[in-house]
Amino acid sequence: MRQEHSTAAPSGAATPDDASTRHHQVAAVLRERILQGDFVPGQRLVERTLAAELGVSRIPVRDALNILRGEGFVSAFPNRGMVVTPLTQQDVEELFEVRTALEVLAARRATERATPEELNGLARAIADSEDAAARSDAQAVGRCNQSFHDLLTASAHNSLLTSLMEPLEGRLHWLLRQNDDPQPLHTEHVALLEAIRSGDPDLAAERALAHVRTSRRIWLETEARKSVAQA
């Protein structure tokens, strides 16, 4: 049975009938489906088909696809239209390079600037990830890890850092969900939060750097296993 993907807004938010927000809601649904692997790299995204499935007109779908194109999730090809962007190994290596620089900075600034509420939010993301791992819910683990890193960036209170991260967030979220070994990442999230709470920005930066390197190692190992399985 095909899973339905609703564009309904959460309680208190603008409804899908609000044309000023509808394309953002559609973009959120399509982004999540790409992150979950419902749409795979190289797959065409046909406006008419998506509009019918989501119960909206083609205009918000077209606008949503343009948002995702700006985030690097989809690419436009002559005679093919919009296609889920395939990420090459070079693309991923470049993402890890950028993530290293920005996440180390975010850890430093969060150590100096995070509020008690933000620290509690980071702790909740870690606890939620642990609960999801206990349920063997890989998708929920990925969402929790994504939330942890988004909260870390917000806790840095650096508007330029946030604006630099925005066009990369989708692809970085995709990277976070490729890791299929949650325990090392969970352990390092705990250690990173401890460093931030300690007030030692050098220690936080050191642990953030180690964390990105662990993510890269796990990604490489995961891709190697996929290659062997496909051979």
Side-chain angles (χ1 to χ4, degrees):
M1 178 180 296
R2 180 175 64 82
Q3 182 180 359
E4 296 295 332
H5 297 271
S6 172
T7 59
S11 177
T15 68
D17 292 331
D18 184 346
S20 66
T21 62
R22 192 181 307 154
H23 61 292
H24 289 291
Q25 294 167 354
V26 172
V29 171
L30 298 180
R31 185 186 300 111
E32 183 66 18
R33 294 186 66 179
I34 293 172
L35 289 171
Q36 290 181 170
D38 294 341
F39 299 137
V40 298
Q43 180 174 344
R44 288 186 64 205
L45 298 178
V46 181
E47 286 181 15
R48 180 174 57 255
T49 303
L50 294 173
E53 182 178 344
L54 298 175
V56 298
S57 71
R58 292 176 64 176
I59 293 175
V61 173
R62 182 179 304 126
D63 291 342
L65 290 174
N66 282 325
I67 290 173
L68 297 180
R69 183 182 182 186
E71 295 175 355
F73 274 116
V74 301
S75 302
F77 290 93
N79 304 319
R80 293 192 67 197
M82 293 292 195
V83 174
V84 179
T85 304
L87 285 179
T88 66
Q89 182 161 343
Q90 180 177 343
D91 293 332
V92 174
E93 290 287 5
E94 290 174 356
L95 279 171
F96 273 116
E97 288 180 1
V98 174
R99 181 184 167 196
T100 297
L102 297 182
E103 198 151 307
V104 167
L105 175 60
R108 282 187 175 279
R109 294 298 172 261
T111 303
E112 299 164 345
R113 301 171 181 172
T115 66
E117 292 78 10
E118 288 166 337
L119 295 174
N120 289 337
L122 289 167
R124 282 194 299 274
I126 291 173
D128 290 345
S129 176
E130 187 173 23
D131 289 344
R135 301 193 306 271
S136 298
D137 187 341
Q139 293 293 339
V141 170
R143 288 192 295 270
C144 293
N145 289 342
Q146 174 181 317
S147 176
F148 178 88
H149 287 277
D150 288 348
L151 289 168
L152 178 63
T153 300
S155 298
H157 294 277
N158 182 314
S159 58
L160 180 56
L161 173 62
T162 300
S163 66
L164 289 171
M165 288 290 284
E166 282 178 356
L168 299 172
E169 281 180 348
R171 283 165 286 176
L172 292 174
H173 292 164
W174 178 85
L175 278 180
L176 290 170
R177 296 204 192 184
Q178 302 312 299
N179 289 329
D180 59 3
D181 187 2
Q183 189 54 50
L185 300 181
H186 172 76
T187 300
E188 290 185 354
H189 283 170
V190 172
L192 178 54
L193 178 56
E194 288 175 350
I196 292 170
R197 279 180 160 159
S198 77
D200 186 340
D202 290 336
L203 179 60
E206 176 185 321
R207 290 183 177 175
L209 176 60
H211 180 57
V212 176
R213 287 174 173 170
T214 297
S215 294
R216 179 181 178 276
R217 174 182 58 78
I218 294 174
W219 179 80
L220 288 171
E221 291 171 352
T222 300
E223 290 302 299
R225 286 196 296 272
K226 288 179 181 177
S227 297
V228 170
Q230 294 170 357

